Amino acid sequence: MEKKRADESVQVSAPGRLDRFGFVKQEHNSPSPDGPPKNKSALEYQREQKRVRKWRKMIGVGGSDWKHYVRRKPHVVKRRIRKGIPDCLRGLVWQLISGSRDLLLMNPGVYEVFYSFNFLKSSSIFPSYNLRSYFLLLLLKQLVIYETSASELDIIRDISRTFPSHVFYQQRHGPGQRSLYNVLKAYSVYDREVGYVQGMGYLAGLLLLYMSEEDAFWLVVALLKGAVHAPMEGLYLEGLPLVQQYLFQFDRLMREYMPKLGEHFTEEMINPSMYGSQWFITVFSYSFPFHLALRIWDVFLYEGVKIVFKVGLALLKYCHDDLVKLPFEKLIHALRNFPDDAMNPDTLLPLAYSFKVSKRLEELKQEYEKIHGKVAESKSKQKQLQLA
């Protein structure tokens, strides 16, 4: 399937108005790290090409050497990913580290079933589900053909709101918007319980800039169903249960690492849902500079959600001295609009890596579940008393 890449879209638009990722430049802004590199020296170019060659050797043809290399040199892989995956290889590497490539290979043709409803005749299209009976296949075919997504109107409504300044998604009903609709609709049919929730479009929209529809679909599946790391589907279920857990954990971590800021937040009645929900729901792809979001996603797909906590803590730490002085309204604005210097990945990410959170996150998860379990038990008893 043809790859849908940002740089391919750029070629059909005025190149002077786009940054190197395909976003329309804001004329009133000063040049940003997103912009095309100017006067790149021969030495820098050679260094970049050497880095790409190292990555190609590590990956192998079509990813054939990847698993072997990861087993032999996990620390080298981790270090290189943290430095940033070369943009020309990002799509393939994301599929390899997320486990989505394995899902695709185990389920050939499945995406077409959920997207176009053209059911293939071979019973081998669902090998992982072991559906061999012709009767079961025929029944499944009928269910899929008449399947509609309850979220369809919500998806259509949100399509134009996803990366609206990117050339790939700007044309109404254009190839970008159609691809995004296809992936989101397919997932909403694939997973009825989750369906579609606003924010999922940014996940799929980001992925489609680096891979085909089918590849993007399986990466969404890998993330939400937990092919490698903990499942993300709780971020999008009714009531957003995983968002509530993550915000609880983040608030406690913030107060432990930055007690003065935590005290100030209490005084100003600031809670993490006022600024941090989108961090987790979209993994920083909603409003953060694209070059920073990509670097975070590199690490997120390899190391898991802990990088979201680390980056959030790093942002607050970097701006700590300013934040503790601000009153409520200015504080809310600052937490939703961090300064440009805080958004430099070469500054922010090393600070993020300095936070060690894995053990504490697990402890806080158990604490949250204990509290949440008691609350649920209390509500259940109240209902029983009311019915009595």
Side-chain angles (χ1 to χ4, degrees):
M1 186 175 289
E2 184 183 357
K3 304 293 181 184
K4 293 174 175 59
R5 295 291 305 275
D7 52 354
E8 293 176 352
S9 297
V10 169
Q11 294 176 5
V12 298
S13 300
R17 294 183 59 245
L18 303 173
D19 68 21
R20 62 192 173 102
F21 296 112
F23 288 90
V24 177
K25 292 180 183 178
Q26 300 297 320
E27 294 181 2
H28 60 274
N29 288 348
S30 57
S32 73
D34 284 341
K38 296 181 179 179
N39 301 323
K40 196 170 186 179
S41 69
L43 182 61
E44 289 174 324
Y45 178 79
Q46 291 174 2
R47 187 180 297 123
E48 178 65 17
Q49 292 302 304
K50 182 179 179 181
R51 190 169 77 99
V52 171
R53 286 196 295 272
K54 284 183 178 179
W55 270 91
R56 291 191 185 280
K57 183 178 180 181
M58 184 167 66
I59 296 170
V61 178
S64 57
D65 296 335
W66 174 255
K67 291 182 179 179
H68 178 64
Y69 198 99
V70 171
R71 284 194 296 268
R72 286 194 307 116
K73 300 182 178 180
H75 297 297
V76 173
V77 174
K78 181 177 180 178
R79 185 178 72 248
R80 289 182 179 176
I81 287 175
R82 285 187 168 191
K83 286 182 178 180
I85 300 169
D87 204 55
C88 61
L89 299 174
R90 191 164 257 134
L92 174 59
V93 176
W94 280 3
Q95 293 172 61
L96 293 172
I97 61 182
S98 67
S100 68
R101 175 56 66 91
D102 291 335
L103 289 177
L104 184 152
L105 294 175
M106 288 189 297
N107 298 282
V110 172
Y111 174 71
E112 282 76 10
V113 171
F114 289 110
Y115 153 52
S116 64
F117 308 144
N118 290 327
F119 195 78
L120 301 182
K121 295 180 180 179
S122 171
S123 63
S124 64
I125 74 162
F126 278 102
S128 60
Y129 301 117
N130 196 28
L131 295 178
R132 301 301 182 189
S133 164
Y134 174 79
F135 175 76
L136 288 177
L137 287 171
L138 186 61
L139 177 60
L140 181 59
K141 176 181 179 181
Q142 295 302 315
L143 289 173
V144 170
I145 285 177
Y146 294 105
E147 177 66 83
T148 58
S149 169
S151 308
E152 192 161 349
L153 292 179
D154 293 331
I155 294 172
I156 293 171
R157 180 197 63 205
D158 291 340
I159 288 292
S160 61
R161 302 176 185 177
T162 306
F163 293 120
S165 63
H166 196 283
V167 66
F168 188 49
Y169 297 111
Q170 282 192 319
Q171 183 182 349
R172 184 171 176 80
H173 306 308
Q177 291 194 7
R178 287 199 304 271
S179 291
L180 184 56
Y181 169 82
N182 291 340
V183 172
L184 294 174
K185 171 67 183 297
Y187 191 85
S188 71
V189 174
Y190 171 84
D191 187 346
R192 279 176 169 272
E193 188 177 11
V194 171
Y196 167 77
V197 175
Q198 192 175 30
M200 291 173 64
Y202 274 85
L203 267 66
L206 178 65
L207 299 176
L208 283 168
L209 298 178
Y210 286 90
M211 59 193 73
S212 70
E213 288 180 19
E214 186 175 26
D215 292 334
F217 169 79
W218 284 112
L219 213 158
V220 173
V221 172
L223 291 175
L224 270 64
K225 295 302 182 183
V228 174
H229 302 292
M232 287 177 61
E233 60 186 351
L235 294 173
Y236 311 105
L237 291 172
E238 184 177 357
L240 309 179
L242 196 55
V243 176
Q244 304 306 320
Q245 176 193 310
Y246 285 166
L247 292 179
F248 171 84
Q249 292 170 292
F250 182 81
D251 189 55
R252 291 290 296 275
L253 284 171
M254 180 271 295
R255 293 175 185 278
E256 291 171 8
Y257 278 109
M258 292 160 270
K260 187 176 179 181
L261 183 61
E263 184 179 341
H264 183 60
F265 278 10
T266 300
E267 292 172 355
E268 297 297 330
M269 293 185 289
I270 298 291
N271 65 71
S273 65
M274 296 176 176
Y275 62 89
S277 298
Q278 288 291 350
W279 294 356
F280 293 102
I281 292 173
T282 69
V283 193
F284 294 109
S285 62
Y286 173 63
S287 59
F288 275 52
F290 197 67
H291 66 291
L292 173 59
L294 290 175
R295 292 285 301 278
I296 294 172
W297 269 74
D298 290 345
V299 181
F300 165 68
L301 292 172
Y302 189 65
E303 299 184 29
V305 74
K306 65 183 178 181
I307 188 60
V308 181
F309 290 93
K310 291 183 176 188
V311 170
L313 291 171
L315 283 167
L316 298 185
K317 183 71 172 178
Y318 188 88
C319 302
H320 178 278
D321 294 344
D322 294 324
L323 294 175
V324 294
K325 301 173 185 176
L326 299 176
F328 178 82
E329 290 185 1
K330 291 184 178 179
L331 189 53
I332 287 293
H333 182 269
L335 289 169
R336 295 174 179 174
N337 300 273
F338 289 96
D340 290 343
D341 55 333
M343 297 294 196
N344 183 342
D346 294 327
T347 301
L348 182 66
L349 292 181
L351 178 58
Y353 301 145
S354 70
F355 290 98
K356 308 303 178 185
V357 300
S358 297
K359 182 180 178 181
R360 190 65 181 126
L361 280 176
E362 184 57 35
E363 293 171 349
L364 290 170
K365 177 185 176 183
Q366 294 175 9
E367 182 179 337
Y368 177 83
E369 289 174 346
K370 187 176 180 180
I371 295 171
H372 189 69
K374 287 182 178 179
V375 171
E377 184 179 349
S378 176
K379 287 182 178 179
S380 177
K381 287 181 178 179
Q382 287 177 3
K383 285 184 178 180
Q384 289 175 0
L385 289 173
Q386 290 172 356
L387 293 171

